[in-house]
């Protein structure tokens, strides 16, 4: 292991990190929004809608993300051409990568929402109704604060998983951190391959630490999370 070469190549790889972070941030926000819509559909009374959404969630949870990426990147243009006669094959690779990450992330986060929702005591909703809260007020003042507070650790883990999943985007030719590493390895004919991948690991490690710091700040700012964590510490004691 040539640490001097690691130090030499590290700035080049780190320079691509903003691209990776930007993709992850946008896809996480859009995936979060999609997940909430999917979650609402899954708890609705429309059986057909629930069945469709359950199938979608099952699909994205049961197939590897790299396979989903290939299906979106190679299959979606053909499907859209056959169904609508529109050629989307010239779209940017980032668009197809974004669609993949949003679909994948939306399915996983919707499951987090569903589990936290069903974990809430039913009597709280009944109490809110007794106090005169409408349906919207119950959701905004009772249900959502508790759901988000309870789900914060899992939502943070989802962001970290999304960052790691984004390392597969180089398989369709996107030059992010991992994509640049692949190019460097190829240009060097495999020389310093271990050093390059070690440098990539350091870049992703730092990025993960940044996400963990953001999640920690969110936990500190969320009063409900502080309440339930304090309860757990008291029970443990």
């Amino acid at each position: 292991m040539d640490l001097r070469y690691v130090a030499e190549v590290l700035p080049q790889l780190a320079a691509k990190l903003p691209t990776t972070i930007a993709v992850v941030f946008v896809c996480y926000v859009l995936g979060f929004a999609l997940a909430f819509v999917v979650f609402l559909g899954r708890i609705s009374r429309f059986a057909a809608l629930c069945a469709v959404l359950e199938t979608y969630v099952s699909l994205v949870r049961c197939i590897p993300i790299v396979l989903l990426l290939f299906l979106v990147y190679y299959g979606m243009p053909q499907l859209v051409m056959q169904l609508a006669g529109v050629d989307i094959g010239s779209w940017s690779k980032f668009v197809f990568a974004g669609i993949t990450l949003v679909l994948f992330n939306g399915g996983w986060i919707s499951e987090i929402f569903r589990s936290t929702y069903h974990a809430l005591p039913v009597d709280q909703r009944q109490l809110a109704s007794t106090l005169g809260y409408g349906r919207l007020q119950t959701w905004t003042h009772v249900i959502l604060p508790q759901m988000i507070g309870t789900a914060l650790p899992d939502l943070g883990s989802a962001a970290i998983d999304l960052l790691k999943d984004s390392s597969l985007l180089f398989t369709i030719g996107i030059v992010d951190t991992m994509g640049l590493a692949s190019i460097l390895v190829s240009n060097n004919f495999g020389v310093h391959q271990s050093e390059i991948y070690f440098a990539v690991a350091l870049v992703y490690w730092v990025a993960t630490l940044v996400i963990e710091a953001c999640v920690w700040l969110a936990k500190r700012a969320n009063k409900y999370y502080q309440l339930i964590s304090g309860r757990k510490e008291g029970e443990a004691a």
Side-chain angles (χ1 to χ4, degrees):
M1 179 69 70
D2 187 350
L3 295 181
R4 287 179 298 180
Y5 187 82
V6 172
E8 178 183 336
V9 77
L10 192 58
Q12 300 179 52
L13 296 169
K16 290 293 182 180
L17 186 58
T19 301
T20 302
I21 294 297
V23 170
V24 169
F25 177 77
V26 172
C27 292
Y28 186 82
V29 172
L30 294 178
F32 189 95
L34 173 62
F36 190 72
V37 173
V38 171
F39 153 70
L40 292 178
R42 293 176 72 192
I43 64 171
S44 69
R45 299 177 181 178
F46 302 101
L49 178 61
C50 290
V52 171
L53 295 177
E54 289 290 346
T55 301
Y56 154 67
V57 173
S58 176
L59 179 66
V60 297
R61 292 183 66 199
C62 295
I63 66 174
I65 187 172
V66 66
L67 178 57
L68 181 62
L69 178 61
F70 289 161
L71 288 173
V72 171
Y73 182 64
Y74 296 111
M76 181 177 287
Q78 298 180 22
L79 180 62
V80 173
M81 176 60 75
Q82 291 177 2
L83 296 179
V86 179
D87 182 15
I88 64 172
S90 60
W91 285 5
S92 170
K93 294 176 181 179
F94 283 99
V95 174
F96 294 104
I99 292 173
T100 302
L101 294 178
V102 168
L103 289 175
F104 195 79
N105 202 45
W108 277 99
I109 294 182
S110 72
E111 187 64 15
I112 295 174
F113 286 153
R114 189 188 66 84
S115 60
T116 54
Y117 172 77
H118 287 299
L120 296 179
V122 179
D123 57 356
Q124 293 193 9
R125 278 168 271 172
Q126 297 173 343
L127 179 60
S129 178
T130 303
L131 293 175
Y133 281 24
R135 186 175 180 85
L136 181 60
Q137 288 178 311
T138 302
W139 271 92
T140 55
H141 295 290
V142 178
I143 298 176
L144 284 180
Q146 296 185 71
M147 280 181 55
I148 298 300
T150 304
L152 270 176
D154 291 330
L155 292 175
S157 296
I160 293 173
D161 289 340
L162 186 63
L163 172 66
K164 293 186 291 186
D165 290 337
S166 70
S167 65
L168 296 171
L169 300 184
F170 82 96
T171 58
I172 61 171
I174 292 179
V175 184
D176 59 351
T177 306
M178 195 65 190
L180 179 58
S182 180
I183 292 173
L184 291 175
V185 170
S186 178
N187 291 343
N188 292 340
F189 301 102
V191 179
H192 295 301
Q193 181 174 341
S194 298
E195 288 84 351
I196 292 172
Y197 287 135
F198 180 69
V200 172
L202 292 177
V203 170
Y204 276 98
W205 181 39
V206 171
T208 301
L209 292 178
V210 171
I211 293 176
E212 288 181 343
C214 292
V215 174
W216 181 80
L217 291 174
K219 290 178 182 178
R220 290 288 301 270
N222 189 282
K223 295 180 180 180
Y224 182 74
Y225 179 82
Q226 291 296 315
L227 177 62
I228 60 175
S229 61
R231 287 176 179 174
K232 289 179 179 178
E233 291 177 359
E235 292 174 358

